[in-house]
């Protein structure tokens, strides 16, 4: 069996008469940009190293609202509150990314899941609601925590209900149907007065009662804890960070399994995937359910933080904004969408109340009111010049076999260094040496199993 | 987001325009400029023996690739039987009382002019179309109308006329998707990385690497499918189909676009696949390939079987010559062997226009 | 394409403004003024549509972007246009157009009941709307089905590459399609204003755009008559549902209807007549 030499071909693979290239077209895209080099470096690290770097970084991220970094901290609004909102939207972005970015299902009604999560918690815990459980068997301290799994369950169920009849549709049709779903949820919330409080909404939603002290009779999560550095916003931010980390791990596990591969296959070519034995409908439904449940958690967080749910928040515009966060950040990339969420939440708040920036006087409030204009421009520009988003997706779909990819990269860099006639690549030699030595230090495979470390498989974030 | 809808199996099949079939994207010829998140990367030729030394041993590779399922039919017995199958679309009779067998362990060729019903027969076999009359029996049980992934789970795998790989995935990942079809664990197992899930993942990747070595693409395992050469892409498709552990492997014009050397190499591969324990159905136009590699040939014309026998029998059958081959074998020089089939008489010439020497 | 709904919403929005021309002309209860206003609306909306296509969509098409990208771009453009009217237009027009509040309505036509059908009053406004809609729909249908340009549109929809081989300029056709869409949206804007004079605001038209998209999908994307049928059906069912369930359930009825129809006819009522729908 010989491996044929690369025949001259067009990008689609049809034979042409053009001279063969030793490498696929590199002039069209700059290679070795900052992001790529970072990823190459990161992937070459051993797993313990990745933890060693990642955990302190995470701690830093968690501490951001407290550190009072000069330019970063918002002037007009409570920075903790902003970060808490960012946490929730980031979680939403991760969930929506599963549906839109991974499985490629166009969902314009994701806000519906968010609403269902929030309302479930509210209905179960608000004194305004007829199904309030806090009077009966649920103590107010733990009500939120107890309502959370119920919210997740109900939201997942709604994902199932939405998906089963509609996932046979494709493209435009799925988009409009999900949009309809989002609107139906909002309208139900608006109209079912006895259950949801209608336009008035439900007040007094429970929240975790932790850290009760004299000054804070309701604990650190309550709205009463508004002053000072460790205000309620910060606590809610930390709580959402916990959920973000958990969901990143879980979604990452899914990505590197048959589920993630099925999603990518469905996104690429659904018919071929089905012919190759992928039960496409089932996995599309799973995408919906998983995305929905993450949205439900975000909704529960929202309800607990704001302690007051009304239908007007759960409108189509927000659905669209969530979608923008995903696409802006890099659809398919679960870290990228977090960045997208940050941009969407943070930037307007950055300008609010700010009267000078680096010495230049500005009218922050006015700039903040232009936010949709800026979003619009940013979206259009980004889609034209960088449609894959700020942090493009690099698919890692296999749970094992990293040494294979590392070996491949080494080989590629060796080929690059020795006699490439396509021009010097400034970045490549530096990286080659770095990963070359790391690679050589790691034991190559001996024996039947791959030379993986004793931990159960490589995970790259 | 690609939401292709090219029409399922046999897109453009009957009329030979498959190479123009659009993928459904706007301006797909420029798709290389738009990359949904992935950079065109260096071609990375991995010496697999470095990473998996056991794969340098061809016998071990063969053993890993060999099918591992219970097949009811014994070797030589019919594995798939078309029994008086008629497929009718409204007024159009695509298949008319078609009966033939595919025996376990053989390589069967299915040939015929364009429009003869090859793709319809193929779809009827694999459960995409339900026969209007008659039935298809695969390994002892009738094939009704099944969801396509169930067909694959039953044990029929296929490749495509126009290559349909998952372009953004690497070669290895493409093949692993094939073996995913046989996974037992699903979302819960994946979420929590249960031991069974991890074991299945490892086994799938091991077998996928072996498959890539088997078809000869092992060195390109980590390259994105769209960066592979045309020949490698065809082989990769075969590897992916084999990953689903089929009882029957159907190859739909696997040699399209190959030069003669590549065709020879493909013939070797097909024989190797059969020797490893698979049954192969081959739809092809290249007569030299078909004659060289198949054990038996079935010829369709106008939806009917007009010949069914060994290559020698079929190629000297006057009906077949009139309908498809053009001139009898004895009149051809060795070079024209491959082009004889391409001078397909087509449906307009029944009974020899210009084939006086028949 | 997928982004149409955001597009249409803002185009309708733009189409509202030319009735501001009649503002200056004073109050004149004539069809002529309405006609001029409609032409103005069509012009602005059509121009905006073509402009957006050139600026935002053509580069994407050149690169073969998938449809989600088009949707996001459309959303982005609709934000830009909305906020333009919200903030920039007041500055450009000295406060007469745009801004936070709705425009003061220009009442060219007072609704007067002409006759009743089965107890339901039919006003002159209703007549104008129905008549105009029919005329426009007929005109568009004839254009698509009977003229050379219309054939070009249908050809490009089915197979762009082959259409180019047949001498049809794809870029021109696409521009034409957007132009028609914009023109119709502008016309619809006027008709809408007749009925809802207070609706001229930068955020207006969004829901209408969504409903329009629903109607098109309901009838079957790619099918002109389907869109007509879908629009009619949607309107009727909405109002009927309003009577049966109550006003607040109106939109729920609309969306529920959509979902139910799509469940049983996944490609809309009249299916897809223009070849396969590319997503």
């Amino acid at each position: 069996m010989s491996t044929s030499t690369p025949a001259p071909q067009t990008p689609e693979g049809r034979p042409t008469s053009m001279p063969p290239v030793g490498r696929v077209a590199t002039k069209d895209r700059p290679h070795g940009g900052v992001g790529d080099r970072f990823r190459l470096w990161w992937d070459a690290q051993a797993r313990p190293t990745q933890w060693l770097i990642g955990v302190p970084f995470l701690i830093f991220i968690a501490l951001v609202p407290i550190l009072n970094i000069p330019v970063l901290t918002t002037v007009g609004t409570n920075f903790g509150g902003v970060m808490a909102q960012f946490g929730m939207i980031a979680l939403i972005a991760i969930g929506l990314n599963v549906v839109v970015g991974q499985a490629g299902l166009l969902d314009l009604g994701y806000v519906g899941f968010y609403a269902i999560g929030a309302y479930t918690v509210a209905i179960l815990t608000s004194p305004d609601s007829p199904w309030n459980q806090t009077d009966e068997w649920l103590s107010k301290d733990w009500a939120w925590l107890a309502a959370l799994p119920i919210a997740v369950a109900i939201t997942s169920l709604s994902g199932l209900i939405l998906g089963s009849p509609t996932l046979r549709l494709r493209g435009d049709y799925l988009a409009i149907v999900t949009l309809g779903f989002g609107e139906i949820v909002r309208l139900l919330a608006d109209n079912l007065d006895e259950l949801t409080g209608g336009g008035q909404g439900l007040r007094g939603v429970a929240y975790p009662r932790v850290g009760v002290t004299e000054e804070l009779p309701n604990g650190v999560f309550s709205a009463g804890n508004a002053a000072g550095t460790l205000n309620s916003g910060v606590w809610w931010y930390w709580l959402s960070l916990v959920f973000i980390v958990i969901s990143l791990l879980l979604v990452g596990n899914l990505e590197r399994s048959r589920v993630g591969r099925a999603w990518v296959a469905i996104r690429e070519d659904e018919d071929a995937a089905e012919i190759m034995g992928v039960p496409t409908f089932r996995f599309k439904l799973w995408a919906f359910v998983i995305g929905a449940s993450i949205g439900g958690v975000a909704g529960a967080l929202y309800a607990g933080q704001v302690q007051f749910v009304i239908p007007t928040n759960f409108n189509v515009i927000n659905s669209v904004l969530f979608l923008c966060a995903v696409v802006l950040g890099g659809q398919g990339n679960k870290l990228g969408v977090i960045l997208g969420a940050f941009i969407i939440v943070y930037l307007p708040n950055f300008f609010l109340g700010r009267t000078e920036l680096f010495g230049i006087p500005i009218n922050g409030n006015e700039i903040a009111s232009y936010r949709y204009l800026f979003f619009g421009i940013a979206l259009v520009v980004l889609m034209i010049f960088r449609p894959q988003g700020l942090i493009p997706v690099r698919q890692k779909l296999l749970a094992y076999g990293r040494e294979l990819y590392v070996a491949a990269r080494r080989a590629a860099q060796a080929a690059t260094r020795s006699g490439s006639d396509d021009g010097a690549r400034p970045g490549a030699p530096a990286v080659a040496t770095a990963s070359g030595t790391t690679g050589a230090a790691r034991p190559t495979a001996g024996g039947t199993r791959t030379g993986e470390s004793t931990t159960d498989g490589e995970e790259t974030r | 987001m690609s939401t292709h809808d090219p029409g399922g199996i046999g897109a453009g099949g009957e009329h030979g325009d498959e190479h123009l079939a659009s993928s459904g994207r706007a301006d797909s010829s420029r798709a290389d400029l738009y990359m949904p998140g992935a950079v065109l990367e260096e071609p990375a030729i991995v010496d697999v023996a470095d990473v998996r030394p056991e794969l340098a041993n061809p016998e071990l590779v063969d053993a890993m690739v060999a099918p591992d399922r219970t097949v009811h039919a014994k070797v030589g017995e019919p594995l798939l039987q078309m029994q008086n199958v008629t497929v009718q679309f409204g007024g159009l009779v695509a298949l008319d009382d078609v009966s033939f067998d595919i025996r376990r362990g053989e390589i069967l060729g299915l040939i015929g002019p364009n429009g003869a019903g090859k793709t319809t027969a193929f779809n009827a076999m694999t459960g995409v179309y339900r026969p209007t009359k008659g039935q298809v029996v695969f390994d002892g049980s009738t094939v009704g109308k099944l969801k396509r992934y169930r067909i694959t789970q039953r044990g029929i795998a296929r490749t495509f006329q126009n290559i349909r790989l998952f372009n953004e995935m690497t070669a290895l990942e493409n093949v692993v998707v094939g073996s995913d079809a046989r996974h037992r664990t699903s979302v819960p197992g994946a979420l929590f990385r249960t031991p069974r899930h991890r074991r299945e993942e490892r086994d799938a990747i091991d077998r996928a690497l072996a498959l890539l070595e088997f078809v000869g693409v092992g060195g390109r395992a980590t390259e994105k499918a769209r960066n592979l050469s045309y020949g490698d892409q065809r082989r990769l498709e075969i590897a992916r189909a084999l990953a689903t552990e089929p009882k029957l492997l159907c190859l739909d014009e696997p040699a399209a676009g190959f030069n003669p050397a590549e065709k020879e190499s493909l013939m070797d591969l097909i024989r190797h696949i059969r020797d490893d324990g698979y049954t192969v159905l081959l739809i092809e136009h290249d007569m030299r390939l078909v004659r060289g590699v198949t054990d038996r040939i079935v010829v369709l014309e106008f939806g009917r079987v007009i010949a069914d026998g060994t290559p020698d029998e079929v190629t000297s059958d006057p009906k077949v010559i009139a309908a498809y081959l053009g001139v009898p074998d004895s009149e051809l020089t060795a070079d024209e062997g491959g082009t004889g089939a391409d001078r397909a008489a087509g449906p307009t010439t029944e009974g020899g226009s210009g084939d006086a020497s028949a | 394409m997928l982004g149409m709904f955001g597009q249409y919403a803002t185009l309708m929005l733009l189409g509202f403004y030319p009735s501001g021309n009649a503002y200056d002309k004073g109050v004149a209860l004539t069809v002529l003024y309405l006609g001029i206003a409609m032409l103005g609306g069509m012009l602005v909306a059509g121009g905006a549509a073509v402009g957006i296509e050139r600026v935002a969509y053509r580069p994407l098409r050149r690169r073969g972007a998938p449809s989600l990208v088009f949707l996001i771009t459309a959303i982005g453009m609709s934000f830009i246009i909305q906020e333009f009217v919200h903030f920039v237009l007041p500055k450009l027009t000295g406060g007469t157009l745009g801004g936070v509040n709705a425009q003061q309505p220009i009442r060219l036509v007072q609704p007067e009941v002409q006759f009743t059908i089965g107890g339901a009053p039919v006003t002159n406004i209703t007549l104008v709307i129905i008549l105009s809609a029919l005329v426009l729909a007929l005109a568009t249908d004839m254009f698509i089905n009977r003229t050379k340009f219309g054939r070009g549109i249908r050809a490009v929809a089915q197979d762009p590459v082959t259409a180019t081989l047949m001498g049809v300029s794809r870029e021109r056709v696409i521009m034409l399609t957007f132009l028609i869409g914009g023109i119709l949206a502008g016309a619809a804007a006027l008709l809408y204003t007749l009925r809802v004079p207070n609706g001229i605001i930068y955020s207006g038209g969004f829901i209408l755009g969504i409903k329009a998209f629903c109607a098109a999908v309901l009838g079957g994307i790619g099918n002109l008559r389907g869109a007509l049928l879908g629009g009619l059906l949607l309107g009727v069912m909405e109002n009927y549902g309003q009577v049966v369930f109550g006003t607040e359930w109106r939109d729920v009825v609309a969306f529920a209807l959509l979902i139910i129809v799509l469940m049983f006819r996944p490609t809309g009522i009249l299916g897809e007549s223009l070849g396969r729908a590319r997503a």
Side-chain angles (χ1 to χ4, degrees):
Chain A
M1 288 325 120
S2 59
T3 311
S4 47
T5 51
Q9 57 180 310
T10 63
E12 296 98 348
R14 286 202 258 293
T16 72
S17 58
M18 289 190 38
V21 287
R23 196 174 321 176
V24 290
T26 49
K27 285 198 283 278
D28 298 312
R29 259 300 291 256
H31 185 79
V34 172
D36 292 335
R37 268 183 283 168
F38 174 73
R39 275 190 231 232
L40 276 175
W41 169 81
W42 178 262
D43 289 342
Q45 304 306 307
R47 188 120 177 278
T49 325
Q50 289 181 347
W51 277 100
L52 229 57
I53 299 179
V55 172
F57 181 68
L58 188 63
I59 296 180
F60 170 68
I61 296 276
L63 290 180
V64 161
I66 309 187
L67 293 179
N68 217 345
I69 305 171
V71 179
L72 204 63
T73 314
T74 60
V75 170
T77 61
N78 176 0
F79 193 39
V82 171
M83 292 307 274
Q85 200 189 6
F86 156 61
M88 288 182 279
I89 306 294
L91 205 53
I92 288 181
I94 294 174
L96 186 57
N97 180 48
V98 169
V99 177
V100 170
Q102 301 259 34
L105 304 169
L106 201 42
D107 187 348
L108 291 179
Y110 193 73
V111 78
F113 298 135
Y114 186 45
I116 291 178
Y119 265 101
T120 310
V121 171
I123 290 176
L124 287 178
T125 61
S126 160
D128 294 341
S129 139
W131 287 358
N132 179 13
Q133 305 293 323
T134 54
D135 301 332
E136 300 169 25
W137 52 276
L138 219 47
S139 92
K140 256 206 174 278
D141 296 350
W142 300 110
W144 186 87
L145 218 50
L148 180 65
I150 303 179
V152 171
I154 304 260
T155 321
S156 309
L157 190 64
S158 71
L160 197 66
I161 294 175
L162 172 66
S164 308
T166 60
L167 280 174
R168 290 180 295 137
L169 306 168
R170 303 217 187 160
D172 304 334
Y173 301 94
L174 185 64
I176 197 66
V177 160
T178 49
L179 187 110
F181 167 76
E183 281 292 277
I184 288 179
V185 167
R186 181 179 67 81
L187 292 164
L188 282 176
D190 210 2
N191 293 332
L192 292 176
D193 287 4
E194 317 84 46
L195 183 61
T196 64
Q200 318 282 29
L202 298 169
R203 291 159 301 153
V205 177
Y207 45 86
R209 213 167 288 259
V210 170
V212 176
T213 61
E214 271 186 31
E215 306 95 47
L216 300 172
N218 285 325
V220 290
F221 284 101
S222 77
N225 178 14
T229 23
L230 275 186
N231 54 44
S232 65
V234 176
W235 284 93
W236 281 107
Y237 171 57
W238 287 339
L239 187 60
S240 43
L241 271 187
V242 169
F243 286 113
I244 288 177
V245 169
I246 294 176
S247 60
L248 282 179
L249 286 176
L250 290 178
V251 171
N253 281 347
L254 285 179
E255 279 174 9
R256 280 180 291 273
S257 70
R258 69 175 296 206
V259 184
R261 290 191 286 269
W263 286 337
V264 176
I266 292 171
R267 194 173 81 212
E268 291 268 342
D269 188 342
E270 186 169 341
D271 289 320
E274 181 139 19
I275 293 174
M276 284 303 130
V278 175
T280 51
F281 182 76
R282 193 190 308 170
F283 281 123
K284 286 203 282 191
L285 201 54
W286 268 116
F288 249 49
V289 168
I290 291 171
S293 52
I294 298 180
V297 174
L301 281 172
Y302 170 74
Q305 193 203 359
V306 181
Q307 284 143 33
F308 174 43
V309 269
I310 47 172
T312 48
N313 285 335
F314 304 114
N315 53 34
V316 185
I317 298 274
N318 278 336
S319 245
V320 162
L321 267 183
F322 298 155
L323 194 61
C324 290
V326 168
V327 175
L328 216 64
Q331 70 210 69
N333 185 329
K334 54 192 188 296
L335 292 181
V337 300
I338 296 180
L339 179 64
F342 183 73
I343 292 177
I344 298 241
V345 169
Y346 180 70
L347 277 188
N349 284 302
F350 176 74
F351 285 106
L352 220 50
R354 202 174 280 267
T355 47
E356 65 94 36
L357 184 63
F358 302 127
I360 309 170
I362 59 172
N363 184 348
N365 284 334
E366 191 183 346
I367 296 182
S369 64
Y370 288 147
R371 84 183 74 159
Y372 283 108
L373 182 63
F374 292 144
F375 279 151
I377 296 177
L379 283 178
V380 175
V381 166
L382 211 66
M383 283 303 104
I384 293 181
F385 295 110
R386 198 179 163 94
Q388 64 269 39
L390 289 173
I391 306 184
V393 62
R394 292 280 188 278
Q395 280 154 5
K396 297 245 169 14
L397 297 175
L398 296 175
Y400 302 103
R402 184 159 66 131
E403 72 287 345
L404 198 64
Y405 285 82
V406 172
R409 209 170 289 128
R410 260 188 289 145
Q413 279 148 10
T416 317
R417 267 176 298 165
S418 63
S420 103
D421 47 333
D422 274 8
R425 314 212 132 272
V431 188
T433 359
S435 70
T437 44
T438 337
R442 214 178 333 200
T444 47
T448 51
R449 280 296 165 217
T450 67
E452 63 204 28
S453 51
T454 50
T455 56
D456 49 341
E458 296 80 357
E459 285 192 36
T460 48
R461 288 284 191 83
Chain B
M1 308 284 103
S2 41
T3 45
H4 296 284
D5 190 8
I9 294 177
E14 296 284 37
H15 300 284
D17 288 335
E18 55 277 6
H19 294 301
L20 285 180
S22 80
S23 65
R25 273 203 193 164
D27 266 345
S28 55
S29 58
R30 304 292 279 169
D32 57 317
L33 286 182
Y34 173 78
M35 290 150 288
V39 178
L40 290 171
E41 284 165 350
E42 313 286 342
I45 303 191
V46 179
D47 191 356
V48 179
D50 262 356
V51 182
R52 302 287 184 111
E54 70 273 14
L55 291 182
N57 174 0
E59 280 161 14
L60 182 60
V61 171
D62 284 356
M64 286 180 78
V65 170
D68 179 25
R69 2 175 6 154
T70 17
V71 184
H72 294 121
K74 301 210 204 328
V75 177
E77 284 181 359
L79 177 63
L80 182 138
Q81 293 171 290
M82 300 275 277
Q83 298 174 340
N84 305 98
V85 171
T86 302
V87 177
Q88 197 168 340
F89 301 113
L92 173 69
V93 180
L95 285 184
D96 193 359
D97 200 31
V98 163
S99 294
F100 63 86
D101 293 342
I102 305 179
R103 301 190 193 133
R104 181 171 172 202
E106 75 171 349
I107 303 177
L108 181 78
L110 182 62
I111 67 176
N114 284 325
K118 299 195 296 294
T119 310
T120 315
F122 185 44
N123 286 340
M125 262 183 243
T126 53
V128 177
Y129 296 156
R130 190 201 299 271
T132 326
K133 288 191 220 140
Q135 60 177 2
V136 179
V137 180
F138 180 64
D139 204 23
S141 38
T142 324
V143 174
K145 187 158 171 64
L146 290 175
K147 285 199 167 208
R148 284 181 277 192
Y149 73 92
R150 287 238 180 269
I151 299 168
T152 314
Q153 282 173 356
R154 282 272 205 109
I156 305 182
R158 61 165 297 175
T159 63
F160 297 95
Q161 261 173 338
N162 44 340
I163 303 177
R164 289 173 75 172
L165 291 169
F166 305 122
N167 283 320
E168 291 303 320
M169 292 191 191
T170 62
L172 183 59
E173 287 161 1
N174 264 275
V175 179
V176 174
V177 170
S179 48
D180 282 344
R182 308 278 283 140
H183 270 202
R184 309 274 298 288
T185 51
S186 183
V187 173
L191 268 178
F192 303 112
R193 298 180 60 120
T194 57
R196 189 164 86 159
H197 168 261
R198 278 183 273 150
R199 198 180 357 111
E200 281 190 343
E201 281 284 311
R202 251 196 293 258
D203 291 345
I205 294 174
D206 289 345
R207 184 150 183 271
L209 275 174
L211 273 165
L212 288 173
E213 271 296 298
F214 185 82
V215 300
V217 196
R220 325 275 288 201
T222 57
E223 260 197 73
K224 288 211 189 300
R226 65 180 150 83
N227 292 344
L228 294 179
S229 70
Y230 182 74
D232 284 349
Q233 283 180 342
R234 285 247 177 238
R235 286 164 183 275
L236 177 59
E237 261 214 330
I238 295 177
R240 186 178 63 170
L242 285 176
T244 63
E245 293 187 58
K247 300 176 185 176
L248 173 66
L249 175 69
C250 304
L251 301 175
D252 197 352
E253 303 204 23
F258 277 4
N259 62 44
E262 289 167 329
K263 287 187 187 179
E264 283 294 331
S265 173
L266 183 69
M267 283 162 64
D268 286 338
L269 176 61
I270 297 178
R271 279 189 220 108
H272 194 178
I273 292 174
R274 187 269 304 272
D275 295 340
D276 209 26
Y278 291 96
T279 309
V280 180
L281 171 71
L282 182 65
I283 300 180
E284 243 313 322
H285 276 301
D286 180 349
M287 281 315 296
R288 200 215 230 153
L289 181 79
V290 174
R291 256 181 312 155
V293 89
T294 56
D295 302 322
R296 284 194 312 132
I297 302 181
V298 169
V299 186
L300 288 182
E301 193 207 15
F302 291 137
R304 295 203 195 94
V305 176
I306 62 171
D308 180 349
T310 67
D312 291 331
E313 290 168 12
V314 164
T315 48
S316 47
D317 185 331
K319 279 184 296 182
V320 175
I321 293 169
Y324 190 60
L325 292 175
V327 265
D329 232 350
S330 50
E331 313 258 299
L332 291 172
T333 60
D335 311 347
E336 289 174 25
T339 59
D342 295 340
R343 283 152 54 193
T348 52
T349 58
E350 171 128 52
S353 71
D355 298 342
S357 40
Chain C
M1 254 185 264
L2 196 57
M4 275 310 149
F5 73 91
Q7 179 82 324
Y8 286 161
T10 47
L11 292 178
M12 279 179 216
L13 165 68
L14 284 177
F16 286 147
Y17 287 89
S19 51
N21 295 335
Y23 207 111
D24 296 327
K25 290 184 172 36
V27 178
L29 299 167
T30 58
V31 166
L32 178 66
Y33 279 119
L34 286 181
I36 294 174
M38 182 178 283
L39 279 177
M42 288 174 167
L43 208 67
V44 173
V50 172
I52 290 175
E53 194 274 322
R54 288 296 314 260
V55 166
Y57 295 151
R58 185 179 298 197
L60 292 181
R61 241 195 351 268
R62 286 263 162 79
R63 293 154 210 248
S67 52
L68 181 64
V69 172
F70 279 97
L71 171 65
I72 300 293
T73 312
I75 292 173
M77 287 306 297
S78 81
F79 279 165
I80 293 178
I81 294 175
Q82 263 194 337
E83 297 305 297
F84 172 79
V85 171
H86 189 183
F87 289 120
V88 183
L89 199 57
K91 299 206 168 103
L92 292 181
T93 60
T96 46
L97 290 179
V100 177
N101 298 315
Q103 300 293 114
Q104 292 298 319
I106 305 155
R107 297 190 187 279
L108 276 180
V109 183
Q110 294 294 343
E112 285 165 9
V113 181
Q114 305 294 309
F115 51 86
T116 63
I117 299 181
V122 177
T123 68
N124 51 352
I125 286 184
T126 314
L127 281 179
V128 166
I129 291 178
I130 293 182
L131 220 61
S132 315
L134 277 178
V135 166
L136 285 167
L138 205 65
T140 315
D141 189 83
M142 271 178 31
F143 184 81
I144 297 282
N145 288 323
R146 306 266 176 94
T147 68
K148 187 179 85 164
F149 301 108
R151 269 201 299 279
I153 292 178
R154 281 179 287 144
V156 170
Q158 292 206 41
D159 189 342
V161 178
T162 312
T164 329
L165 292 176
M166 294 298 126
V168 176
S169 158
R170 188 164 160 237
E171 294 299 321
R172 284 258 195 94
V173 160
I174 290 178
M175 209 150 59
L176 187 63
T177 316
F178 271 84
L179 186 65
I180 295 176
I183 287 178
L184 288 175
L190 180 89
L191 298 177
Y192 178 70
T193 316
L194 281 179
R195 232 173 124 81
V196 185
N198 293 314
I200 310 177
I201 187 176
Y202 74 94
S203 55
F206 183 66
I207 286 289
L208 275 181
I210 293 180
K211 296 266 177 75
F213 193 29
C214 284
V217 168
L218 197 62
I221 287 212
N223 191 323
L224 195 68
R225 293 164 193 184
L228 254 179
L229 181 64
L232 187 64
L233 191 65
L234 196 66
V236 166
M237 289 308 288
E238 254 193 23
N239 284 288
Y240 194 66
Q242 201 172 304
V243 169
V244 172
F245 295 109
T247 323
E248 66 272 17
W249 293 107
R250 177 166 138 160
D251 290 340
V252 177
V253 169
F255 288 118
L257 173 72
L258 181 72
I259 294 179
I260 292 175
V261 167
L262 283 181
M263 267 172 61
F264 294 108
R265 295 226 12 132
T267 52
I269 297 180
L270 291 190
E272 286 163 349
S273 71
L274 289 182
R276 292 262 149 61
R278 292 151 298 121

